Amino acid sequence: MKRIIIFLAFLGLAFSLNSCKHKQQEQTVKKEVTLQRLNPDEFEKLISDTLNVVLLDVRTLQEYKESHMKHAIQIDFREDSFVDDCLKKLSRDKQIAVYCRSGFCSNSAAKILLENGFNAVDLMGGYTEWVKAGKEIVSE
C-alpha cells in the first residue's frame, strides 16, 4: 500500500512539473506587443516621411469622405475584412501611422497590425485631437 501511495505521489509530481514546463514554454513563445502612441505634433512629424510611412484612417468610408488627413488611405476597422484588407493593401516594410475619430479604434487596430507583423503607431486622441491642434485636413 505504501508503495502505491509513493508511486501515485511521484506520478502526480511528474505531471505537475511537466505542466509547469509547458506553461513556461507557452509564455516565452508569446510575443510582447507594445504600441507607441504619439501626440499630434509627434504624429505630424512622423507622417511627413511619405516614402516610409503609410497613413491609415480606420474610420468609416463616410467619415473619411467628409474629411481626412492628407495622403491617408482608408480601411474601416469595423468591417469583418479589416485584417484581410490590411494584409492585401499595406506593406510590412513601411511604418503604419493609424488614426480614427477618438483614438479608441485606432489603438485596437494598431495592436492588431503589430500582432500581424506590421510596424504600427497610433495617434493619441485621434482625428479629434488632430483637428483641435489645428493640423492640416482634406475635405471632399
Side-chain angles (χ1 to χ4, degrees):
M1 182 69 162
K2 217 177 194 182
R3 286 183 184 178
I4 293 174
I5 292 173
I6 292 172
F7 176 74
L8 290 175
F10 176 75
L11 193 59
L13 180 63
F15 279 120
S16 67
L17 288 176
N18 191 34
S19 173
C20 290
K21 184 178 178 183
H22 178 68
K23 286 180 184 176
Q24 184 180 18
Q25 287 173 344
E26 278 183 344
Q27 290 173 353
T28 19
V29 171
K30 192 172 184 177
K31 184 180 174 185
E32 185 69 30
V33 176
T34 305
L35 175 62
Q36 186 179 7
R37 303 192 73 213
L38 306 177
N39 67 41
D41 291 332
E42 295 166 328
F43 200 78
E44 181 179 46
K45 184 177 179 182
L46 175 74
I47 64 173
S48 67
D49 181 4
T50 56
L51 291 176
N52 298 305
V53 179
V54 174
L55 181 57
L56 178 62
D57 185 329
V58 296
R59 300 175 302 154
T60 66
L61 184 56
Q62 181 178 342
E63 289 174 302
Y64 177 83
K65 285 182 176 180
E66 288 172 9
S67 68
H68 57 271
M69 293 181 197
K70 190 175 183 179
H71 303 297
I73 64 167
Q74 187 271 339
I75 302 175
D76 190 343
F77 176 68
R78 292 185 180 103
E79 291 293 324
D80 292 336
S81 61
F82 175 74
V83 174
D84 288 336
D85 291 344
C86 288
L87 292 172
K88 289 175 190 169
K89 296 177 182 179
L90 302 175
S91 169
R92 287 186 176 92
D93 296 332
K94 296 190 178 205
Q95 188 160 33
I96 313 299
V98 186
Y99 74 92
C100 68
R101 182 181 52 81
S102 65
F104 181 76
C105 287
S106 60
N107 186 302
S108 299
K111 286 179 182 175
I112 289 170
L113 290 171
L114 286 171
E115 290 167 358
N116 281 279
F118 291 93
N119 180 8
V121 298
D122 178 37
L123 172 59
M124 232 179 336
Y127 191 71
T128 303
E129 288 301 314
W130 181 264
V131 172
K132 276 186 195 176
K135 304 297 182 184
E136 182 180 8
I137 61 169
V138 177
S139 298
E140 291 184 13

